[in-house]
């Protein structure tokens, strides 16, 4: 999804880049979601590994649980951001 | 060994306190002794074991330890010491002093202990019981508890209380107890004849009469009865009647009702007795049991006086009197003094009955009188009422007539008054109308005069104006001629300006169409505005263009199509989204949009895919307007994604429209017609 980067016009113009073009709104959201997913999952994984080493005699499951927590958190945030955007769209319409 | 033991004993003896300590150590010491095999103390002194009384209390459960009497140092004699058997092991450590001390004789202690125990138990019990009794006299709650749950507690407490009570009130207690003893011991026997009873009038009672009299009576019975009956003849009827009436009036005779009923049979006879006391004795000879020959002769007791009953005793006074008399009679009867008072009582009875009758007669007379009076009174009232009614009617009639006459007179008067008033008003109105008419006539006359003068003035003025007007029109024609000459110059100017405008517009259009990239065309617009010189149409057209359009320029159609492709790809991804889409629906929409079929041309339908296809078709045809319209029908995420593209297209459309509006042939012809109209005017 990140393949279609914000579609900048082919020529260098004086267009303000502060606001993304409208067709890239969704892609930007997806990008955020993925980065969020990666960050949260790795955080969860780290916590899981630490816990497994410290408390659970190097079992595998705490790491998986941490990853699951991170991914779930990221998923939920992404979901809420998408729904928020949908709500705003509906309000505008 | 021996020496050590002795020494230890001595040491103990020198310190009597050690004995006490030894006692405390007794158990452990004994155990230690057993362990160490020092049993030699136990055997030889068994017979001499003596237990001090105190020992039992301290350790009652200890098994009798090896009992050599070593505790009190004084009891140990040197002879006793050697009796201990030699220790099995010669290497035994000399025993510590304590084991010697605790060894106490306790053999015969059991019975003694039992005795002591029992004694103490009894003592304690007695003390406790005594204390309980004492405390129960102080505390009520405890009293209840004590008397209820402790055997013999109640008796003890009661006894004590009684003792106390008797001490406090010796007299009262004597009396009370004495009487109580009497009632308890003896039954109270009431003699058969004592107290009030119906038997007073019974025949049984009457039967106790001397036989001599009775025989005499039997013999003279008939004769007496004949003689008496003649005298009393009216009486029995009256008496029986009275009896019946008294029976009907139980209230009066309530007290004596029982007496009366029982005495019914003898009533008559008693009456006779009351009338003739001398004959009374002889009237009932049968019941009187005559005394035997060996007994002394006895007078038969006089029969009791029967209570009084009065007929028609409704009156309260009579009732009270009868009541009183009956009370007296009852008293006399009970007293057995009937013969003494019978005469007097009879008289009194007679009087009372007479009084009753008299009261009755008085009452009836009064009633009759009252009835008569009431009737007379009612008659008189009726008469008066009739009189009153007839008088009232007459008065009312008279009054009505009078009122009617007055009413008619009043009506007449009012009518007269009103007629007068109406006449007056009519007269005044007539006068008023005449006055008005006259005024109008005057006004008309004045008006006519004024009009006349005005007409004359007008005529004069017209005459004058006609000449002046001609001069004025002449001068106007001259000025218009001047204007026409100047207008010709203007036409030439306008022509020039239009041409310039056209050139400017063409320049703008060229700059727009020429460009491969969007670039600002603000200079061209400024030039156009200067040339247009406050032309409202041009101003409005320029104002309608979005500022960003001429500042940044507008995109070319190729660019638009290129961008549309990107936008369409994105929109397709979001084409299947539901209303409130989350991550899952976005992902599924993205995946499913990959496998959707593409449409071609002007596809029919409202879905996102067909709208996109139509837009693309329009764009390829160069119809920007329709393409924008199609895209505008999108909704939701699709619309949001295509927003920027749509605004871009709008800008282009606006600029195009503005250019069309003032570069079109109609606009030019308009300006021409404007000038031609002016030239026409000339």
């Amino acid at each position: 999804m990140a393949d279609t980067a914000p579609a900048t016009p082919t020529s260098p113009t004086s267009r303000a880049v502060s606001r993304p073009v409208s067709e890239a709104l969704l892609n930007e959201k997806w990008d955020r979601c993925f980065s969020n997913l990666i960050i949260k999952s790795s955080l969860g994984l780290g916590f899981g590994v630490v816990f497994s080493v410290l408390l659970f005699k190097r079992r595998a499951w705490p790491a998986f649980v941490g990853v699951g927590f991170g991914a779930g958190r990221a998923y939920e945030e992404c979901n809420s951001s998408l729904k928020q955007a949908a709500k705003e769209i509906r309000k505008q319409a | 060994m021996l020496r050590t033991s002795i020494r230890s004993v001595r040491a103990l003896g020198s310190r009597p306190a050690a004995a006490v300590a030894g006692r405390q150590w007794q158990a452990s010491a004994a155990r230690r002794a057993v362990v160490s095999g020092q049993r030699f103390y136990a055997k030889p002194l068994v017979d001499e074991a003596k237990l001090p009384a105190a020992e039992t209390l301290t350790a009652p459960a200890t098994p009798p330890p090896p009992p050599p009497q070593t505790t009190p140092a004084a009891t140990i004699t040197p002879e006793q010491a050697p009796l201990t058997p030699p220790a099995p092991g010669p290497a035994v450590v000399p025993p510590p002093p304590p084991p010697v001390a605790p060894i106490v004789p306790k053999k015969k202690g059991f019975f003694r202990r039992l005795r002591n125990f029992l004694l103490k138990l009894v003592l304690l019990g007695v003390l406790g019981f005594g204390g309980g009794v004492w405390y129960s006299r102080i505390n009520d709650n405890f009293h209840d508890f004590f008397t209820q749950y402790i055997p013999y507690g109640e008796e003890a407490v009661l006894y004590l209380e009684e003792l106390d009570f008797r001490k406090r009130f010796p007299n009262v207690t004597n009396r009370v107890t004495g009487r109580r003893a009497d009632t308890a011991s003896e039954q109270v026997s009431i003699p058969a004849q004592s107290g009030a009873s119906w038997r007073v009038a019974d025949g049984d009672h009457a039967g106790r009469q001397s036989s001599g009299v009775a025989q005499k009576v039997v013999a003279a019975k008939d004769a007496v009865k004949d003689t008496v009956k003649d005298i009393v003849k009216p009486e029995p009827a009256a008496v029986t009647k009275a009896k019946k009436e008294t029976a009907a009036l139980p209230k009066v005779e309530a007290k004596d009702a029982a007496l009366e009923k029982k005495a019914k049979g003898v009533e008559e006879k008693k009456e006779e007795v009351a009338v003739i006391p001398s004959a009374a004795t002889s009237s009932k000879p049968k019941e009187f049991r005559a005394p035997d020959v060996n007994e002394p002769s006895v007078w038969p007791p006089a029969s009791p006086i029967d209570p009084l009953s009065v007929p028609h005793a409704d009156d309260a006074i009579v009732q009270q009197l009868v009541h009183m008399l009956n009370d007296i009679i009852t008293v006399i009867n009970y007293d057995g003094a009937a013969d003494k008072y019978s005469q007097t009582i009879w008289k009194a009875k007679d009087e009372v009955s007479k009084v009753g009758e008299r009261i009755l007669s008085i009452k009836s007379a009064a009633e009759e009188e009252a009835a008569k009076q009431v009737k007379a009174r009612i008659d008189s009232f009726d008469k008066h009422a009739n009189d009153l009614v007839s008088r009232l009617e007459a008065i009312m009639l008279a009054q009505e007539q009078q009122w009617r006459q007055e009413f008619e007179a009043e009506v007449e008067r009012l009518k007269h008054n009103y007629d007068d008033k109406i006449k007056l008003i009519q007269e005044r109105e007539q006068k008023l109308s005449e006055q008005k008419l006259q005024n109008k006539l005057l006004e008309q006359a004045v008006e006519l005069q004024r009009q006349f003068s005005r007409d004359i003035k007008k005529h004069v003025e017209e005459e004058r104006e006609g000449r002046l007007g001609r001069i004025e029109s002449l001068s106007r024609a001259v000025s218009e001629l001047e204007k026409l000459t100047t207008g010709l110059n203007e036409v030439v100017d306008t022509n020039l300006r239009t041409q310039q405008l056209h050139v400017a517009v063409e320049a703008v259009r060229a700059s727009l169409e020429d460009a491969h990239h969007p670039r600002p065309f603000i200079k061209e617009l400024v030039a156009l505005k200067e040339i247009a010189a406050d032309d409202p149409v041009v101003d409005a057209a320029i104002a309608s263009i979005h500022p960003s359009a001429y500042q940044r320029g507008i995109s070319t159609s190729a660019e638009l199509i290129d961008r549309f492709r990107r936008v369409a790809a994105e929109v397709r991804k979001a084409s299947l989204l539901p209303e409130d889409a989350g991550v899952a629906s976005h992902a599924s929409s993205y995946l499913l949009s990959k496998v959707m079929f593409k449409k071609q041309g002007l596809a029919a339908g409202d879905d996102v895919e067909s709208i996109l296809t139509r837009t693309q078709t329009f764009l390829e045809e160069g119809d920007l307007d329709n393409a924008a319209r199609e895209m505008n029908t999108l909704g939701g995420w699709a619309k949001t994604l295509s927003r920027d593209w749509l605004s871009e297209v709008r800008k282009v459309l606006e600029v195009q429209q503005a250019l069309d509006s003032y570069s079109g042939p109609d606009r030019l012809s308009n300006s021409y017609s404007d000038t031609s109209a002016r030239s026409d005017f000339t």
Side-chain angles (χ1 to χ4, degrees), chain B residues 413-429:
Chain B
R413 202 167 55 81
L414 282 177
K415 214 177 182 180
H416 208 70
N417 277 358
Y418 276 111
D419 283 351
D420 286 356
K421 263 187 199 167
I422 285 165
K423 252 182 221 165
L424 203 72
I425 286 166
Q426 274 176 346
E427 275 172 20
R428 279 193 191 159
E429 230 151 75

PDB file of all heavy atoms in Angstrom, chain B residues 413-429:
ATOM      1  N   ARG B 413     -96.651  58.803  30.815  1.00  0.00           N
ATOM      2  CA  ARG B 413     -95.781  59.968  31.021  1.00  0.00           C
ATOM      3  C   ARG B 413     -94.495  59.812  30.191  1.00  0.00           C
ATOM      4  O   ARG B 413     -94.062  60.738  29.494  1.00  0.00           O
ATOM      5  CB  ARG B 413     -95.415  60.046  32.515  1.00  0.00           C
ATOM      6  CG  ARG B 413     -94.994  61.427  32.953  1.00  0.00           C
ATOM      7  CD  ARG B 413     -94.973  61.499  34.483  1.00  0.00           C
ATOM      8  NE  ARG B 413     -94.132  60.451  35.072  1.00  0.00           N
ATOM      9  CZ  ARG B 413     -92.794  60.568  35.142  1.00  0.00           C
ATOM     10  NH1 ARG B 413     -92.184  61.643  34.698  1.00  0.00           N
ATOM     11  NH2 ARG B 413     -92.099  59.588  35.659  1.00  0.00           N
ATOM     12  N   LEU B 414     -93.895  58.638  30.248  1.00  0.00           N
ATOM     13  CA  LEU B 414     -92.641  58.390  29.531  1.00  0.00           C
ATOM     14  C   LEU B 414     -92.826  58.572  28.033  1.00  0.00           C
ATOM     15  O   LEU B 414     -92.008  59.195  27.348  1.00  0.00           O
ATOM     16  CB  LEU B 414     -92.155  56.964  29.815  1.00  0.00           C
ATOM     17  CG  LEU B 414     -91.482  56.782  31.176  1.00  0.00           C
ATOM     18  CD1 LEU B 414     -91.116  55.328  31.371  1.00  0.00           C
ATOM     19  CD2 LEU B 414     -90.235  57.645  31.269  1.00  0.00           C
ATOM     20  N   LYS B 415     -93.981  58.103  27.565  1.00  0.00           N
ATOM     21  CA  LYS B 415     -94.275  58.209  26.135  1.00  0.00           C
ATOM     22  C   LYS B 415     -94.329  59.679  25.713  1.00  0.00           C
ATOM     23  O   LYS B 415     -93.725  60.077  24.727  1.00  0.00           O
ATOM     24  CB  LYS B 415     -95.641  57.562  25.890  1.00  0.00           C
ATOM     25  CG  LYS B 415     -95.749  56.858  24.547  1.00  0.00           C
ATOM     26  CD  LYS B 415     -97.130  56.226  24.521  1.00  0.00           C
ATOM     27  CE  LYS B 415     -97.400  55.440  23.290  1.00  0.00           C
ATOM     28  NZ  LYS B 415     -98.778  54.889  23.384  1.00  0.00           N
ATOM     29  N   HIS B 416     -94.975  60.431  26.539  1.00  0.00           N
ATOM     30  CA  HIS B 416     -95.086  61.856  26.269  1.00  0.00           C
ATOM     31  C   HIS B 416     -93.712  62.494  26.181  1.00  0.00           C
ATOM     32  O   HIS B 416     -93.404  63.216  25.232  1.00  0.00           O
ATOM     33  CB  HIS B 416     -95.905  62.486  27.411  1.00  0.00           C
ATOM     34  CG  HIS B 416     -96.643  63.702  26.998  1.00  0.00           C
ATOM     35  ND1 HIS B 416     -97.736  63.671  26.137  1.00  0.00           N
ATOM     36  CD2 HIS B 416     -96.446  65.014  27.284  1.00  0.00           C
ATOM     37  CE1 HIS B 416     -98.154  64.884  25.939  1.00  0.00           C
ATOM     38  NE2 HIS B 416     -97.388  65.735  26.628  1.00  0.00           N
ATOM     39  N   ASN B 417     -92.929  62.196  27.156  1.00  0.00           N
ATOM     40  CA  ASN B 417     -91.572  62.770  27.204  1.00  0.00           C
ATOM     41  C   ASN B 417     -90.812  62.443  25.931  1.00  0.00           C
ATOM     42  O   ASN B 417     -90.192  63.312  25.312  1.00  0.00           O
ATOM     43  CB  ASN B 417     -90.809  62.203  28.383  1.00  0.00           C
ATOM     44  CG  ASN B 417     -91.144  62.948  29.667  1.00  0.00           C
ATOM     45  OD1 ASN B 417     -91.919  63.916  29.630  1.00  0.00           O
ATOM     46  ND2 ASN B 417     -90.587  62.519  30.773  1.00  0.00           N
ATOM     47  N   TYR B 418     -90.835  61.206  25.569  1.00  0.00           N
ATOM     48  CA  TYR B 418     -90.069  60.790  24.390  1.00  0.00           C
ATOM     49  C   TYR B 418     -90.572  61.473  23.134  1.00  0.00           C
ATOM     50  O   TYR B 418     -89.796  61.870  22.263  1.00  0.00           O
ATOM     51  CB  TYR B 418     -90.111  59.264  24.229  1.00  0.00           C
ATOM     52  CG  TYR B 418     -89.072  58.581  25.086  1.00  0.00           C
ATOM     53  CD1 TYR B 418     -89.419  57.808  26.178  1.00  0.00           C
ATOM     54  CD2 TYR B 418     -87.707  58.760  24.775  1.00  0.00           C
ATOM     55  CE1 TYR B 418     -88.463  57.232  26.967  1.00  0.00           C
ATOM     56  CE2 TYR B 418     -86.755  58.182  25.565  1.00  0.00           C
ATOM     57  CZ  TYR B 418     -87.120  57.417  26.655  1.00  0.00           C
ATOM     58  OH  TYR B 418     -86.160  56.834  27.416  1.00  0.00           O
ATOM     59  N   ASP B 419     -91.848  61.607  23.008  1.00  0.00           N
ATOM     60  CA  ASP B 419     -92.412  62.299  21.833  1.00  0.00           C
ATOM     61  C   ASP B 419     -91.883  63.705  21.741  1.00  0.00           C
ATOM     62  O   ASP B 419     -91.465  64.171  20.668  1.00  0.00           O
ATOM     63  CB  ASP B 419     -93.947  62.318  21.940  1.00  0.00           C
ATOM     64  CG  ASP B 419     -94.513  60.961  21.577  1.00  0.00           C
ATOM     65  OD1 ASP B 419     -93.711  60.122  21.090  1.00  0.00           O
ATOM     66  OD2 ASP B 419     -95.718  60.719  21.773  1.00  0.00           O
ATOM     67  N   ASP B 420     -91.865  64.370  22.873  1.00  0.00           N
ATOM     68  CA  ASP B 420     -91.356  65.743  22.900  1.00  0.00           C
ATOM     69  C   ASP B 420     -89.934  65.790  22.406  1.00  0.00           C
ATOM     70  O   ASP B 420     -89.551  66.621  21.559  1.00  0.00           O
ATOM     71  CB  ASP B 420     -91.411  66.310  24.322  1.00  0.00           C
ATOM     72  CG  ASP B 420     -92.853  66.645  24.697  1.00  0.00           C
ATOM     73  OD1 ASP B 420     -93.735  66.490  23.810  1.00  0.00           O
ATOM     74  OD2 ASP B 420     -93.087  67.007  25.862  1.00  0.00           O
ATOM     75  N   LYS B 421     -89.164  64.885  22.939  1.00  0.00           N
ATOM     76  CA  LYS B 421     -87.752  64.876  22.580  1.00  0.00           C
ATOM     77  C   LYS B 421     -87.573  64.668  21.089  1.00  0.00           C
ATOM     78  O   LYS B 421     -86.778  65.343  20.420  1.00  0.00           O
ATOM     79  CB  LYS B 421     -87.057  63.742  23.326  1.00  0.00           C
ATOM     80  CG  LYS B 421     -86.371  64.231  24.587  1.00  0.00           C
ATOM     81  CD  LYS B 421     -85.559  63.097  25.204  1.00  0.00           C
ATOM     82  CE  LYS B 421     -85.285  63.424  26.661  1.00  0.00           C
ATOM     83  NZ  LYS B 421     -84.775  62.247  27.362  1.00  0.00           N
ATOM     84  N   ILE B 422     -88.294  63.723  20.562  1.00  0.00           N
ATOM     85  CA  ILE B 422     -88.162  63.420  19.130  1.00  0.00           C
ATOM     86  C   ILE B 422     -88.512  64.621  18.282  1.00  0.00           C
ATOM     87  O   ILE B 422     -87.805  64.956  17.317  1.00  0.00           O
ATOM     88  CB  ILE B 422     -89.066  62.219  18.772  1.00  0.00           C
ATOM     89  CG1 ILE B 422     -88.425  60.948  19.297  1.00  0.00           C
ATOM     90  CG2 ILE B 422     -89.261  62.094  17.270  1.00  0.00           C
ATOM     91  CD1 ILE B 422     -89.364  59.765  19.332  1.00  0.00           C
ATOM     92  N   LYS B 423     -89.508  65.291  18.680  1.00  0.00           N
ATOM     93  CA  LYS B 423     -89.906  66.487  17.911  1.00  0.00           C
ATOM     94  C   LYS B 423     -88.781  67.505  17.895  1.00  0.00           C
ATOM     95  O   LYS B 423     -88.425  68.066  16.854  1.00  0.00           O
ATOM     96  CB  LYS B 423     -91.158  67.104  18.554  1.00  0.00           C
ATOM     97  CG  LYS B 423     -92.410  66.886  17.730  1.00  0.00           C
ATOM     98  CD  LYS B 423     -93.589  67.564  18.418  1.00  0.00           C
ATOM     99  CE  LYS B 423     -94.832  66.693  18.338  1.00  0.00           C
ATOM    100  NZ  LYS B 423     -95.875  67.151  19.274  1.00  0.00           N
ATOM    101  N   LEU B 424     -88.237  67.742  19.054  1.00  0.00           N
ATOM    102  CA  LEU B 424     -87.163  68.713  19.182  1.00  0.00           C
ATOM    103  C   LEU B 424     -85.993  68.340  18.275  1.00  0.00           C
ATOM    104  O   LEU B 424     -85.457  69.174  17.520  1.00  0.00           O
ATOM    105  CB  LEU B 424     -86.699  68.734  20.638  1.00  0.00           C
ATOM    106  CG  LEU B 424     -85.998  70.010  21.079  1.00  0.00           C
ATOM    107  CD1 LEU B 424     -86.999  71.159  21.215  1.00  0.00           C
ATOM    108  CD2 LEU B 424     -85.317  69.767  22.427  1.00  0.00           C
ATOM    109  N   ILE B 425     -85.621  67.070  18.346  1.00  0.00           N
ATOM    110  CA  ILE B 425     -84.463  66.617  17.561  1.00  0.00           C
ATOM    111  C   ILE B 425     -84.726  66.803  16.079  1.00  0.00           C
ATOM    112  O   ILE B 425     -83.856  67.261  15.306  1.00  0.00           O
ATOM    113  CB  ILE B 425     -84.187  65.145  17.860  1.00  0.00           C
ATOM    114  CG1 ILE B 425     -83.562  65.030  19.263  1.00  0.00           C
ATOM    115  CG2 ILE B 425     -83.230  64.525  16.857  1.00  0.00           C
ATOM    116  CD1 ILE B 425     -83.557  63.607  19.806  1.00  0.00           C
ATOM    117  N   GLN B 426     -85.908  66.495  15.661  1.00  0.00           N
ATOM    118  CA  GLN B 426     -86.233  66.633  14.235  1.00  0.00           C
ATOM    119  C   GLN B 426     -86.091  68.073  13.790  1.00  0.00           C
ATOM    120  O   GLN B 426     -85.496  68.371  12.745  1.00  0.00           O
ATOM    121  CB  GLN B 426     -87.653  66.140  13.992  1.00  0.00           C
ATOM    122  CG  GLN B 426     -87.707  64.639  13.750  1.00  0.00           C
ATOM    123  CD  GLN B 426     -89.137  64.148  13.600  1.00  0.00           C
ATOM    124  OE1 GLN B 426     -90.083  64.896  13.935  1.00  0.00           O
ATOM    125  NE2 GLN B 426     -89.310  62.953  13.081  1.00  0.00           N
ATOM    126  N   GLU B 427     -86.585  68.940  14.616  1.00  0.00           N
ATOM    127  CA  GLU B 427     -86.503  70.366  14.244  1.00  0.00           C
ATOM    128  C   GLU B 427     -85.064  70.790  14.078  1.00  0.00           C
ATOM    129  O   GLU B 427     -84.674  71.441  13.106  1.00  0.00           O
ATOM    130  CB  GLU B 427     -87.164  71.213  15.334  1.00  0.00           C
ATOM    131  CG  GLU B 427     -88.663  71.329  15.152  1.00  0.00           C
ATOM    132  CD  GLU B 427     -89.306  72.011  16.352  1.00  0.00           C
ATOM    133  OE1 GLU B 427     -88.556  72.710  17.089  1.00  0.00           O
ATOM    134  OE2 GLU B 427     -90.506  71.827  16.570  1.00  0.00           O
ATOM    135  N   ARG B 428     -84.271  70.408  15.030  1.00  0.00           N
ATOM    136  CA  ARG B 428     -82.863  70.815  14.988  1.00  0.00           C
ATOM    137  C   ARG B 428     -82.176  70.260  13.757  1.00  0.00           C
ATOM    138  O   ARG B 428     -81.372  70.948  13.118  1.00  0.00           O
ATOM    139  CB  ARG B 428     -82.154  70.303  16.238  1.00  0.00           C
ATOM    140  CG  ARG B 428     -82.442  71.229  17.391  1.00  0.00           C
ATOM    141  CD  ARG B 428     -81.560  70.985  18.571  1.00  0.00           C
ATOM    142  NE  ARG B 428     -82.103  71.749  19.694  1.00  0.00           N
ATOM    143  CZ  ARG B 428     -81.841  71.488  20.940  1.00  0.00           C
ATOM    144  NH1 ARG B 428     -81.087  70.449  21.242  1.00  0.00           N
ATOM    145  NH2 ARG B 428     -82.339  72.232  21.880  1.00  0.00           N
ATOM    146  N   GLU B 429     -82.440  69.026  13.461  1.00  0.00           N
ATOM    147  CA  GLU B 429     -81.790  68.446  12.304  1.00  0.00           C
ATOM    148  C   GLU B 429     -82.139  69.172  11.013  1.00  0.00           C
ATOM    149  O   GLU B 429     -81.282  69.420  10.162  1.00  0.00           O
ATOM    150  CB  GLU B 429     -82.207  66.974  12.187  1.00  0.00           C
ATOM    151  CG  GLU B 429     -80.994  66.085  12.010  1.00  0.00           C
ATOM    152  CD  GLU B 429     -81.207  64.713  12.569  1.00  0.00           C
ATOM    153  OE1 GLU B 429     -81.933  63.935  11.916  1.00  0.00           O
ATOM    154  OE2 GLU B 429     -80.664  64.407  13.648  1.00  0.00           O
TER     155      GLU B 429
END
